[in-house]
Amino acid sequence: MSEILVRAEGLGKRFPKSHRSSDRLRSLGRLLLGGGDVDGQQVLHDINLEVKRGESVAIIGENGAGKSTLLKLITGVLTATEGTANVYGKVGALLELGAGFHPEYSGRDNIAMAGALYGLNRSQIAQCLPGIIEFADIGAYIDEPVKHYSSGMVVRLGFAIIAALKPDLLITDEVLAVGDESFQKKCVRWMEDYLAGGGTLLLVSHSMYHVQKLCSRALWLQHGKVAMYGDVFDVSQAYLAWHERRQAAVASDHGVRASQEFEIVEFTVNGQDESPAPVLDIGNSLRLRVRAGSRDRRTPVVLFGIARADGTPVYGVSSEMDAVALEGGQSSVYCAEIEFEDIGLLPGSYMVKVHVLDSEGIRLFDTEERTLTVRGESREFGLVRLPHRWIRFVGEVNE
Amino acid sequence: MNRFSLALHFVRRELHERYRGSFTGFGWAFLQPLLQLAIYAFVFVQIFKARIPGAGAPGYVPFLVVGLWPWIAFSDAILRSTTALQDNSALIGKVAVPREILVFAPCAAGFMLHLAGFIVILLVLALTGQGIRIQGIPFAILMYLPMFLYAYGAALCFAALQVFVRDLVQILGQLLTLMMFAAPIFYDRSNLPDRYQGWLDLNPFTGFVEAYRFLLLGHGNFGWGALGLVLAIAVISYLVGSWLFRRLDPHFEDFL
């Protein structure tokens, strides 16, 4: 199982200047005469990457970090300026949208075309066709030209083709983001089966949920360089942390917030006051503490909540629901602390939030969020581990 | 083998594409050169009273057909293949295709269509007693192979350069027209004053036209030396074309 499928060594890419025609002519001359490198924009520097068969690697990073370029170099669509990229095995790639469909041709023709490009002969393509059409599930559109497709349909068809080809290495670039909910689920399920069956995946995604669900390792690209490479939870955590630091820097530039009736003074997660919160293992306890200022010395209501990184709420509870009065003491700052013993969240990315509401628990005044990563190995489904026990049951029924 | 079946797929796609949505379908491949021929024949025979000098010279219409039809195949294939990389930029950016196949397909498809039309019109002319030698037709078809190699080599060259220099295809249209009139297609070598006749050999297409005339009409001279020259032109064109193409190939995507 340790066979290497992708090996990139010292990979670098520089895009030549190609906007003005004089630049194009100059590059042409240099290329023909073999006179050294073309000057231009360096988008990737010295990337080293090895992917073994059966591994799943996510490539994350902000827009323009070079993720798509890296994938294009690996698939051979682009040629590296420095270093080498080798792939050993059959590759199925969905780069950006469309997968190279010809807009004038029908879906059916494009399937035949993609199959031929993958190296199938006509009878093999004919064999795959019904499966692809069923997976894509775009109905009568299969005989329409692709230019009439919605972007979701294009991705459906592209993914269906890849799914039928069952490549050694699957490369997808932000594919899941376009499909609708049910198709996303179908794709994720297919990818999980594919990985379980020994498939290898290179995935570019901005959805940390998908990254953590599908990948075991992650590569974080920043300005064309590898910022971090390792376990998916560690890398995605560091990446989110970097984002929040950046956002915080932007927010603080906007000056002080106007004084409000109620505002959050401090929010700590397990004693730590900056985002992201410390990484938890399944079954750890979670302690949230907030100190909220009240201008008029009225007692605020505080609501704590946990949501999955994509926004799906997991649990929320307020001081008013549990009839807890916040302690104010002498000052105008009220404190609340809550503990979830054995948090029960399954591995993945979550958000913990605190909201401060007025004394009646109706108007919302202030909110803070922290990302939270739960690490661990689990094959359970869903968001939380519900308390459960198995009951011994021997098939016979009492009369 | 894989590359071959892929090439086949692209040629088939090209043939489909060229006549999809047109009423006459594949008939158009035949009709278009026929119309062109009718116009030229009218202008040259009726207006200019063109005649081929010499006793026992062929009539002007078969004379023109034998030169013009292969020329249309040649120039059409080059013009269409020149923009092949640009036209398929969406594909090149998404899938790792062997890119010379993208040039090969329109070039081969053009040749196949025009060769089919050529055979039909030759048979028609032969049956209506216009002096076409039927036994020469198989050899004329064979001559399409070096002509294809010549066109393909040029197409590889131009398609690669077109990626960098977008106005190439416009210039090329003009250059091909010039090359057409500089080849003995509308006239015979013997129409020219003696001191200009040698100049025709500078045009690489001259050899092909004279080969077809010789094979199909028994007109003019075409010896082994001329055949060797034609084959050499074809091979050199292919070698230069594929060298240039391979040299620029890794950089296409950057400039498309």
Side-chain angles (χ1 to χ4, degrees):
Chain A
M1 285 305 273
S2 61
E3 180 197 347
I4 287 173
L5 271 191
V6 180
R7 174 182 278 134
E9 281 166 345
L11 207 58
K13 177 69 191 172
R14 195 160 47 233
F15 281 115
K17 280 189 231 158
S18 65
H19 189 62
R20 287 189 320 200
S21 49
S22 60
D23 287 333
R24 302 173 77 95
L25 268 177
R26 196 174 305 127
S27 319
L28 174 64
R30 278 194 200 180
L31 292 173
L32 281 179
L33 300 172
D37 283 331
V38 179
D39 52 341
Q41 184 75 21
Q42 184 96 25
V43 288
L44 281 181
H45 309 259
D46 192 32
I47 307 283
N48 293 294
L49 175 68
E50 254 182 21
V51 182
K52 298 192 180 79
R53 187 180 285 278
E55 272 190 331
S56 51
V57 178
I59 298 171
I60 56 180
E62 56 187 325
N63 297 125
K67 305 183 295 291
S68 301
T69 307
L70 178 59
L71 289 192
K72 283 185 167 184
L73 287 174
I74 290 172
T75 49
V77 166
L78 279 178
T79 313
T81 321
E82 296 129 21
T84 52
N86 291 308
V87 180
Y88 310 94
K90 285 237 162 206
V91 184
L94 278 178
L95 298 178
E96 295 156 29
L97 306 178
F101 290 147
H102 194 299
E104 295 288 333
Y105 293 122
S106 73
R108 226 179 264 276
D109 290 341
N110 271 302
I111 294 173
M113 164 98 181
L117 283 171
Y118 190 74
L120 301 186
N121 61 32
R122 286 180 108 180
S123 65
Q124 285 167 317
I125 293 169
Q127 227 174 355
C128 291
L129 196 62
I132 294 173
I133 292 174
E134 195 199 318
F135 195 100
D137 192 21
I138 53 175
Y141 272 97
I142 195 76
D143 290 310
E144 293 280 316
V146 167
K147 65 180 172 186
H148 293 161
Y149 285 23
S150 72
S151 53
M153 280 193 243
V154 172
V155 167
R156 274 166 175 258
L157 188 61
F159 197 89
I161 292 172
I162 295 291
L165 296 175
K166 289 225 164 37
D168 295 325
L169 171 66
L170 176 63
I171 293 181
T172 65
D173 189 352
E174 203 58 78
V175 167
L176 296 168
V178 185
D180 59 27
E181 190 77 5
S182 68
F183 191 73
Q184 274 191 19
K185 281 190 179 132
K186 198 165 161 181
C187 290
V188 169
R189 205 157 47 228
W190 184 87
M191 285 203 223
E192 280 176 330
D193 286 347
Y194 166 81
L195 289 171
T200 312
L201 176 70
L202 267 181
L203 173 90
V204 163
S205 180
H206 289 291
S207 151
M208 288 306 126
Y209 166 67
H210 287 136
V211 164
Q212 291 175 340
K213 192 163 174 62
L214 291 166
C215 297
S216 57
R217 303 180 68 73
L219 177 83
W220 172 17
L221 281 182
Q222 200 175 10
H223 307 306
K225 294 185 185 135
V226 178
M228 196 174 173
Y229 181 48
D231 176 76
V232 67
F233 289 110
D234 295 340
V235 176
S236 55
Q237 184 70 10
Y239 172 64
L240 290 175
W242 174 82
H243 257 293
E244 297 204 3
R245 274 201 302 279
R246 201 175 66 158
Q247 253 164 18
V250 171
S252 65
D253 283 350
H254 286 296
V256 280
R257 275 179 300 189
S259 165
Q260 286 186 316
E261 281 173 59
F262 299 98
E263 62 189 354
I264 295 168
V265 179
E266 187 192 41
F267 178 38
T268 65
V269 180
N270 281 3
Q272 185 177 318
D273 128 356
E274 54 197 37
S275 190
V279 176
L280 298 184
D281 290 312
I282 317 177
N284 282 8
S285 64
L286 177 68
R287 235 171 211 267
L288 309 175
R289 173 197 294 196
V290 66
R291 302 201 306 133
S294 165
R295 203 174 55 196
D296 307 331
R297 289 194 165 232
R298 293 196 299 143
T299 316
V301 167
V302 169
L303 192 152
F304 289 108
I306 300 175
R308 199 168 67 181
D310 65 356
T312 312
V314 177
Y315 185 68
V317 66
S318 75
S319 56
E320 182 250 9
M321 291 172 196
D322 286 353
V324 174
L326 266 59
E327 302 289 332
Q330 302 300 333
S331 69
S332 61
V333 174
Y334 291 78
C335 296
E337 183 162 17
I338 192 167
E339 178 173 27
F340 297 94
E341 214 179 315
D342 180 359
I343 185 71
L345 292 172
L346 293 177
S349 256
Y350 298 89
M351 299 282 258
V352 278
K353 306 180 187 188
V354 60
H355 304 290
V356 175
L357 299 91
D358 62 8
S359 311
E360 289 74 42
I362 296 167
R363 277 184 63 198
L364 176 65
F365 280 94
D366 202 359
T367 293
E368 267 206 42
E369 297 179 344
R370 294 289 148 82
T371 54
L372 172 75
T373 300
V374 178
R375 180 168 45 190
E377 289 284 332
S378 167
R379 291 172 52 221
E380 291 150 281
F381 297 106
L383 298 174
V384 289
R385 176 180 289 165
L386 295 177
H388 58 276
R389 65 192 174 94
W390 292 87
I391 296 143
R392 260 179 69 87
F393 175 64
V394 190
E396 288 160 32
V397 184
N398 289 334
E399 292 296 313
Chain B
M1 191 56 216
N2 197 345
R3 206 164 254 244
F4 176 74
S5 65
L6 195 59
L8 212 66
H9 184 91
F10 272 90
V11 172
R12 213 182 298 125
R13 186 184 92 154
E14 189 72 32
L15 288 173
H16 263 278
E17 184 178 11
R18 204 163 290 190
Y19 299 103
R20 197 164 27 89
S22 66
F23 290 116
T24 47
F26 281 86
W28 186 238
F30 183 64
L31 220 62
Q32 182 199 358
L34 203 64
L35 274 171
Q36 221 170 323
L37 179 80
I39 294 165
Y40 285 130
F42 178 79
V43 170
F44 285 97
V45 177
Q46 300 299 322
I47 300 177
F48 291 133
K49 311 287 184 210
R51 269 192 67 247
I52 311 303
Y60 191 77
V61 171
F63 176 87
L64 186 59
V65 166
V66 162
L68 184 63
W69 217 284
W71 169 262
I72 292 173
F74 178 81
S75 65
D76 200 40
I78 288 186
L79 272 184
R80 283 180 189 263
S81 321
T82 297
T83 51
L85 294 175
Q86 217 178 321
D87 297 342
N88 284 293
S89 59
L91 188 66
I92 292 174
K94 302 278 162 63
V95 190
V97 230
R99 293 169 251 232
E100 65 272 11
I101 288 182
L102 298 177
V103 181
F104 177 83
C107 199
F111 262 72
M112 282 157 69
L113 288 173
H114 289 299
L115 179 60
F118 190 45
I119 294 170
V120 171
I121 195 147
L122 285 180
L123 290 174
V124 170
L125 287 176
L127 292 176
T128 51
Q130 296 284 327
I132 297 287
R133 293 159 53 181
I134 295 212
Q135 65 272 30
I137 294 181
F139 295 103
I141 293 172
L142 274 181
M143 273 307 286
Y144 263 66
L145 287 176
M147 191 168 78
F148 173 74
L149 207 60
Y150 178 26
Y152 179 47
L156 282 176
C157 233
F158 296 139
L161 294 177
Q162 170 73 16
V163 173
F164 295 85
V165 188
R166 293 294 164 88
D167 358 30
L168 180 70
V169 73
Q170 269 84 10
I171 305 167
L172 202 61
Q174 302 305 313
L175 283 180
L176 282 169
T177 311
L178 189 69
M179 189 174 166
M180 174 171 79
F181 284 105
I185 292 173
F186 296 101
Y187 51 88
D188 189 57
R189 196 185 276 266
S190 58
N191 284 102
L192 290 178
D194 281 345
R195 57 199 164 103
Y196 293 128
Q197 286 187 8
W199 288 70
L200 281 180
D201 293 322
L202 292 179
N203 188 339
F205 203 74
T206 302
F208 289 99
V209 180
E210 295 190 333
Y212 293 120
R213 297 250 159 86
F214 180 74
L215 292 166
L216 293 166
L217 297 168
H219 177 79
N221 287 314
F222 188 74
W224 292 107
L227 180 66
L229 197 66
V230 161
L231 294 181
I233 287 169
V235 170
I236 290 170
S237 159
Y238 174 71
L239 290 179
V240 171
S242 43
W243 173 82
L244 189 86
F245 195 85
R246 229 168 289 146
R247 178 115 206 176
L248 297 178
D249 186 48
H251 309 282
F252 287 158
E253 169 60 10
D254 297 345
F255 288 91
L256 277 173

